[in-house]
Amino acid sequence: AEIASNLAGAISSPSVLKNMISASISPRGPPLSEPLAKASAPIAGRFSSLLNMIPSDRPARICFVCTANYNRSPAMEMMARQLSEEAGITNAEFSSFGVAVRQLNRDGMVNNDLVNAAMLLGVSTRNRRMGSKAPTSEQIMESDILMVAEQRHNDMLVETVRKSTGADISGKVVVFGELLTEMSPAELQAIDRVLKEEDVSVDLRRVVTSMPDPQGREISNRDLLLLVREIMRHGFIEKLAAREEGA
């Protein structure tokens, strides 16, 4: 309980909350170094490395994190469940939470716009308890991988846990957009092509460090789901499937 309590305290000031819900995106890391058509070869990224470290005799526990667990992290959780089910993946468990759910008075709130967008795209919500959730200490510590929407969520989680327990969880926190850095040029081009066909306007280089947020009117929930779907198809589900085959 101490970790969750300290996390709430870390973001309780008005200035921090204002920054958390700011509509602007300021990339906090290097963009993809080359244009999509000339991107470098895929590298062995942190997500792949973390998956390889999880014992194969149990499910991989992956938790998605954003600010309010209202748009981005539930979208990632729903899409992970949907694509995993379609691929026949059974050796993975998914959850999500928001680092500022209680501070923003979102505890238990359901994002009907996200639910409706998911239904229109054929994404099931039946296996996810709808409603924004704050984290529990157990959820943070027991997750094998914490996939955050933005670099600042990474920084906040790592620092809060370090101050609360002395533990270093930096090795298991991954920014969702970093999946793009593990992809081949062909995969990046395929994602870009599908998004354009679906009229989704987004710069993949900015996604590497910060997923666009419908709450800040940077993207619609429909387009967010499509963006998450295409990234997961190429940089996420394939790796989970390979892990399951090798188990």
Side-chain angles (χ1 to χ4, degrees):
E2 183 181 3
I3 297 175
S5 176
N6 288 346
L7 183 59
I11 56 179
S12 61
S13 70
S15 61
V16 173
L17 284 175
K18 181 178 180 180
N19 289 334
M20 293 295 287
I21 60 177
S22 172
S24 63
I25 295 181
S26 298
R28 291 170 170 78
L32 294 176
S33 59
E34 299 290 338
L36 291 177
K38 299 180 180 179
S40 59
I43 60 174
R46 285 195 292 172
F47 179 66
S48 298
S49 298
L50 286 171
L51 273 184
N52 291 335
M53 293 170 61
I54 301 171
S56 60
D57 60 351
R58 66 166 177 82
R61 296 184 289 266
I62 301 174
C63 182
F64 301 99
V65 183
C66 70
T67 302
N69 194 221
Y70 193 69
N71 293 291
R72 294 174 291 181
S73 57
M76 289 186 279
E77 181 186 351
M78 285 192 294
M79 195 58 72
R81 291 181 184 276
Q82 177 79 16
L83 296 177
S84 292
E85 182 177 330
E86 292 175 358
I89 295 170
T90 60
N91 203 21
E93 298 175 351
F94 307 107
S95 63
S96 65
F97 67 78
V99 297
V101 169
R102 290 171 183 157
Q103 292 67 37
L104 295 172
N105 296 316
R106 289 285 176 84
D107 205 356
M109 289 186 65
V110 176
N111 185 343
N112 290 319
D113 185 64
L114 176 63
V115 173
N116 291 335
M119 292 175 61
L120 289 173
L121 293 173
V123 179
S124 173
T125 63
R126 68 181 184 276
N127 291 325
R128 181 186 185 273
R129 183 179 69 80
M130 300 306 296
S132 297
K133 301 180 294 296
T136 64
S137 301
E138 292 76 15
Q139 186 178 23
I140 293 174
M141 298 306 295
E142 293 178 4
S143 294
D144 295 305
I145 301 175
L146 293 162
M147 297 204 80
V148 299
E150 300 183 42
Q151 180 63 43
R152 60 182 170 177
H153 299 136
N154 180 339
D155 301 339
M156 186 175 299
L157 282 172
V158 170
E159 183 64 13
T160 299
V161 172
R162 185 190 65 77
K163 288 182 177 180
S164 299
T165 68
D168 181 8
I169 66 168
S170 60
K172 67 176 184 178
V173 185
V174 180
V175 179
F176 179 76
E178 288 180 11
L179 293 172
L180 291 165
T181 67
E182 299 186 38
M183 297 182 193
S184 68
E187 288 172 320
L188 292 170
Q189 290 168 20
I191 292 173
D192 197 45
R193 182 175 59 255
V194 171
L195 293 179
K196 287 179 178 177
E197 291 173 353
E198 295 285 355
D199 293 322
V200 178
S201 179
V202 64
D203 185 346
L204 292 179
R205 292 166 188 78
R206 304 185 78 174
V207 174
V208 172
T209 53
S210 181
M211 285 286 290
D213 188 0
Q215 194 64 23
R217 298 182 180 179
E218 301 157 353
I219 193 171
S220 69
N221 276 300
R222 178 255 187 195
D223 290 358
L224 172 66
L225 285 164
L226 289 171
L227 173 62
V228 171
R229 184 190 71 185
E230 293 309 309
I231 293 176
M232 282 192 169
R233 278 179 171 173
H234 294 276
F236 185 83
I237 294 300
E238 289 180 355
K239 293 180 175 62
L240 289 179
R243 175 179 182 269
E244 181 136 335
E245 291 174 2

